């Protein structure tokens, strides 16, 4: 009997676009991201990602699709503390069935690009917040996903580190990466997103209404 988390919401994100999603707590931002990632299923409507309708896939089909086509960056990194940096990055590739050799080569390229290659054998607890988020981004990119989802990627970082991560995401988009970015930070959205989708009480906010 409660109000739906999202209702009457239609949105499209073009390939190569950065779309920011903003709104107050409880507006439906995390639910939207979970639907796009296939972590939640809609009670009505459809979800199509990378040309594939995903809301009617089986749980195993969803897991395979997500591993290969969607990368997710979390606010609090969600790294596994008992795995090295390299093994954290390799994990999605292993789940997707990639060859160990190809995955290690890809992980090495990404760690170098993120500026943390020297930490490949370290454990996450030894890294700063910014370094851990770079590991998380490398992990999200290891399978070259068509879509990258970022849930408050700078929320747990200080201002300077958050700006650096924002620039890194911007560079990824400049190289063609499609990105949906949930953020409370209007400066991050204004600086790096082509457009901002504003939610209010589970619906698109009317034009001109701050969310």
């Amino acid at each position: 009997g409660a109000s739906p988390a999202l209702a009457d919401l239609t949105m499209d994100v073009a390939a190569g676009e950065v779309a920011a999603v903003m709104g107050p707590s409880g507006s439906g931002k995390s639910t939207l991201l979970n639907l796009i990632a296939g972590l939640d299923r809609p009670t009505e409507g459809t979800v199509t990602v990378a040309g594939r309708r995903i809301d009617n896939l089986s749980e195993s089909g969803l897991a395979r699709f997500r591993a290969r086509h969607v990368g997710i960056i979390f606010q609090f990194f969600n790294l596994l503390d008992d795995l090295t940096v390299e093994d954290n990055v390799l994990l999605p590739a292993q789940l997707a069935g990639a060859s160990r050799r190809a995955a290690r080569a890809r992980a090495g390229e990404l760690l170098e690009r993120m500026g943390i290659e020297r930490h490949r054998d370290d454990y996450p607890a030894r890294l700063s917040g910014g370094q851990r988020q770079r590991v998380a981004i490398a992990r999200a990119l290891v399978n070259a996903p068509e879509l990258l989802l970022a849930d408050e990627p700078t929320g747990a970082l200080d201002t300077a580190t958050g700006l650096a991560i924002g620039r890194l995401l911007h560079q990824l988009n400049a190289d063609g990466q499609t990105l949906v970015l949930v953020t409370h930070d209007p400066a991050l959205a204004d600086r790096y997103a082509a457009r901002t989708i504003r939610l209010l009480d589970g619906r698109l906010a009317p034009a001109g209404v701050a969310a």
Side-chain angles (χ1 to χ4, degrees):
S3 299
L6 291 171
D8 302 322
L9 173 64
T10 298
M11 58 173 279
D12 292 290
V13 179
E17 183 182 10
V18 179
V21 180
M22 297 190 68
S25 295
S27 61
K29 302 186 301 299
S30 293
T31 299
L32 176 60
L33 220 60
N34 286 344
L35 288 169
I36 297 171
L39 296 170
D40 288 338
R41 294 179 186 270
T43 51
E44 295 181 26
T46 62
V47 181
T48 301
V49 179
R52 176 79 180 271
R53 182 175 169 184
I54 67 169
D55 58 278
N56 58 0
L57 293 177
S58 66
E59 289 301 323
S60 59
L62 263 175
R64 286 193 299 271
F65 181 88
R66 188 164 48 243
R68 293 171 181 154
H69 301 283
V70 180
I72 308 174
I73 305 167
F74 301 94
Q75 177 176 356
F76 295 107
F77 324 126
N78 285 23
L79 300 176
L80 298 178
D81 289 335
D82 57 344
L83 295 183
T84 65
V85 162
E86 182 181 46
D87 284 340
N88 266 281
V89 175
L90 285 171
L91 189 58
Q94 293 168 340
L95 294 174
S99 77
R100 179 77 176 177
R101 181 176 180 179
R104 284 177 67 89
R106 170 73 172 164
E109 292 169 4
L110 287 167
L111 290 173
E112 187 170 349
R113 183 177 184 184
M114 299 296 144
I116 51 173
E117 196 279 336
R118 68 186 184 279
H119 295 294
R120 67 189 308 153
D121 295 322
D122 291 339
Y123 289 87
R126 299 189 60 184
L127 305 182
S128 69
Q131 289 169 333
R132 279 181 280 175
Q133 193 59 293
R134 288 171 184 268
V135 176
I137 293 172
R139 178 185 60 186
L141 293 172
V142 72
N143 288 332
E146 287 95 332
L147 176 63
L148 187 61
L149 304 176
D151 190 1
E152 297 283 1
T154 63
L157 306 174
D158 61 70
T159 301
T161 305
L163 287 172
I165 294 299
R167 288 192 294 269
L168 178 56
L169 294 174
H170 180 68
Q171 183 57 55
L172 291 172
N173 173 249
D175 293 338
Q177 180 68 57
T178 306
L179 176 64
V180 176
L181 169 72
V182 166
T183 181
H184 278 101
D185 184 355
L188 186 71
D190 291 344
R191 187 176 290 115
Y192 300 118
R195 64 188 171 105
T196 299
I197 297 160
R198 299 183 184 277
L199 298 181
L200 192 63
D201 297 329
R203 300 173 185 267
L204 289 177
V209 175

